[in-house]
Amino acid sequence: RAWSLLLISGIVMGAYLARLFQGNKRDRSDQYKVDDTKAAKQAKVEDKPVEEEKPVEAPKKPAEAPQKPVEDASAQAQDTAAKAPPKKKRPDPKDYMFSKLKGQTCIKVPGTINGQMFIIEDCEDCDIYVCDHLAQVQIDYCKGCRIFVGPTESSIFIRNCEDCKCIFACQQYRSRECKNCDTLLFASTAPVVEESVNMRFGCFRFFYADLARQFTASNLSVFDNKWSEIYDFTPKDGNWSFLPFDVKSTDLLKPLSSLGSFVSEEEDKAHSDVEVVPLTAGNRKQDYASMARAFVLIMPSAVEEGGAILAKMEGKQVLMQTKQMKLDARKAKELMLKSGEPAKLNELVNKPCVGVEVASADAPGDIAEVLQEEKHAGKVYVSGSSEAASYEVTLFFDQWRDFAGASLH
């Protein structure tokens, strides 16, 4: 029996080994089996003739423009520099002030300030002339000086000054803690004094060739001068008063021609100091209470020659006050109500005109005679009677009163 079992075991083991050997042989044959499809494709690739590589050409450089001579480049730079706008020079603050001077004559000629701010401070016994248009001026702690300041678009502030003689033109005048100062003034708003003593005022008087143009540059109408309408913040007797009506510019300041300046002696003699700004009596009305009144209206077409028209009345009549304004249709109709000249209405509406209150011994008849030529030419209107004059003066200067001053624009 033992031999039988051994034999059977051998047969089983032999069958198992045979099967195992055949599986290993099949796996090895699959391992080395070649994919016919892949091989075929590879063969086609290998059989395809190889193209020769073409040499890569270097990129062509663009043709260079012929170089310009060095002289041309330099000339081009010079031409560009000539066309470029000039660089503005930075203002030096020292050019816009007079400070800590004593016994000197200082003059700024037209074109040196050009609408900038200016400062005058701590000067004593100096002759100071700022003959240009300015933005604003501050004058502090000056003593015994004679000062002219040209048309100033905004304010002139004078503070802590004493014993000074001044001629100013500005939109607003203000003084504080000053004493014993005389001023010939143009101000398009009511001048203000505060904590000041013995301040005396008169109407602006001065002349040089550029003065009228500077008034225009400062947006000031020469006909809108409220120099006499003083407002005192600290009212008390002796704070302020009026200068005599006949005080001239040379009574306060030395003539420019005498200082070797830009004005010649011949020019000074050829022109009057009331040639630019009309000389008005202002609120000094009690001095002329006995004189009759007339109302003169300079029509819009003649405003530019208004100064020459008013000059014809110089010495014969007294100009009390002047004002420039625009009238709407309602105001124009109201003003001409007593004129008997309705045809003038269309010319007046929304255009600048100048109203003038005039005092004379035989107004308005003598004034109409003096301005007869202008009246016939349609340049002026003169009130036809004392009743009409009273109505027109009250309407134009009192009822239509403005506090801010007229503007040219």
Side-chain angles (χ1 to χ4, degrees):
R1 178 179 290 181
W3 282 108
S4 297
L5 292 172
L6 181 61
L7 180 60
I8 292 170
S9 299
I11 293 171
V12 172
M13 180 62 71
Y16 173 76
L17 291 175
R19 185 177 294 177
L20 180 64
F21 177 77
Q22 287 180 356
N24 290 340
K25 184 177 180 181
R26 189 181 298 115
D27 292 341
R28 284 194 300 272
S29 64
D30 290 342
Q31 181 178 357
Y32 294 104
K33 187 177 181 179
V34 179
D35 186 348
D36 294 339
T37 304
K38 185 175 181 181
K41 289 181 180 180
Q42 183 68 29
K44 287 181 181 180
V45 172
E46 291 176 355
D47 293 343
K48 187 178 181 179
V50 179
E51 296 181 0
E52 295 184 1
E53 294 184 0
K54 295 181 180 180
V56 179
E57 296 182 2
K60 295 182 179 180
K61 295 183 180 180
E64 296 183 0
Q67 293 185 353
K68 293 183 179 180
V70 177
E71 303 83 62
D72 290 352
S74 175
Q76 185 178 5
Q78 291 177 2
D79 184 56
T80 304
K83 292 180 180 179
K87 292 183 178 180
K88 291 184 178 180
K89 185 179 178 182
R90 188 173 182 179
D92 185 348
K94 293 180 181 178
D95 294 334
Y96 300 93
M97 65 168 59
F98 290 135
S99 181
K100 295 180 173 60
L101 304 176
K102 186 173 183 178
Q104 296 189 35
T105 297
C106 312
I107 301 175
K108 288 291 184 180
V109 302
T112 54
I113 308 300
N114 285 326
Q116 299 296 320
M117 181 179 174
F118 202 87
I119 294 174
I120 303 170
E121 61 181 8
D122 299 307
C123 295
E124 184 177 350
D125 191 29
C126 291
D127 293 290
I128 295 173
Y129 298 79
V130 186
C131 300
D132 206 354
H133 67 98
L134 309 98
Q136 180 176 305
V137 180
Q138 293 182 1
I139 305 171
D140 296 305
Y141 294 99
C142 290
K143 184 176 181 179
C145 291
R146 295 153 295 280
I147 306 172
F148 171 82
V149 176
T152 303
E153 186 168 4
S154 184
S155 303
I156 293 180
F157 294 93
I158 178 168
R159 300 172 292 196
N160 303 100
C161 295
E162 58 181 282
D163 301 321
C164 291
K165 311 292 184 185
C166 308
I167 301 180
F168 295 152
C170 58
Q171 190 259 348
Q172 181 187 47
Y173 168 92
R174 298 195 64 155
S175 67
R176 179 178 174 84
E177 297 184 50
C178 296
K179 61 180 180 180
N180 304 329
C181 293
D182 292 346
T183 304
L184 295 180
L185 179 63
F186 174 97
S188 60
T189 60
V192 172
V193 298
E194 184 177 1
E195 298 290 346
S196 299
V197 178
N198 195 28
M199 305 289 287
R200 301 196 302 168
F201 296 93
C203 184
F204 180 95
R205 300 178 69 149
F206 207 74
F207 179 85
Y208 53 86
D210 282 335
L211 185 58
R213 179 190 61 80
Q214 292 170 3
F215 267 91
T216 302
S218 297
N219 195 27
L220 299 173
S221 167
V222 297
F223 302 109
D224 196 40
N225 190 2
K226 295 180 174 62
W227 70 268
S228 65
E229 299 176 22
I230 312 296
Y231 184 83
D232 190 351
F233 270 112
T234 54
K236 189 171 62 175
D237 289 343
N239 283 359
W240 65 271
S241 61
F242 292 133
L243 287 165
F245 185 66
D246 58 356
V247 169
K248 299 180 180 179
S249 59
T250 51
D251 295 326
L252 270 61
L253 309 183
K254 298 175 183 177
L256 282 168
S257 60
S258 69
L259 302 173
S261 68
F262 63 97
V263 177
S264 66
E265 188 175 348
E266 291 75 15
E267 184 178 357
D268 255 348
K269 290 180 178 179
H271 297 277
S272 164
D273 62 1
V274 297
E275 192 167 316
V276 176
V277 177
L279 178 63
T280 57
N283 282 342
R284 200 191 279 105
K285 295 184 178 181
Q286 66 276 10
D287 297 341
Y288 307 95
S290 62
M291 301 178 73
R293 297 292 196 271
F295 177 75
V296 175
L297 186 68
I298 300 176
M299 304 302 289
S301 61
V303 168
E304 290 188 3
E305 53 185 301
I309 292 172
L310 297 181
K312 296 187 71 172
M313 294 185 283
E314 185 180 344
K316 302 169 185 176
Q317 288 84 24
V318 177
L319 306 182
M320 299 304 298
Q321 56 185 329
T322 63
K323 183 170 74 172
Q324 177 173 318
M325 68 182 301
K326 289 182 181 180
L327 304 177
D328 58 27
R330 180 187 63 81
K331 286 184 176 180
K333 184 178 180 180
E334 195 173 355
L335 183 63
M336 294 287 101
L337 184 64
K338 297 182 181 296
S339 69
E341 299 184 41
K344 293 187 179 298
L345 288 177
N346 292 335
E347 186 180 351
L348 284 174
V349 176
N350 295 326
K351 297 174 184 177
C353 60
V354 177
V356 188
E357 180 188 1
V358 187
S360 71
D362 191 24
D366 57 345
I367 297 169
E369 185 177 346
V370 170
L371 299 179
Q372 184 177 7
E373 182 180 344
E374 288 76 14
K375 192 172 183 295
H376 286 312
K379 296 180 179 180
V380 302
Y381 159 78
V382 180
S383 51
S385 65
S386 297
E387 180 187 357
S390 177
Y391 166 82
E392 291 155 358
V393 166
T394 301
L395 193 64
F396 197 88
F397 291 103
D398 297 334
Q399 293 188 27
W400 297 341
R401 180 178 175 79
D402 67 275
F403 296 91
S407 171
L408 296 184
H409 304 302

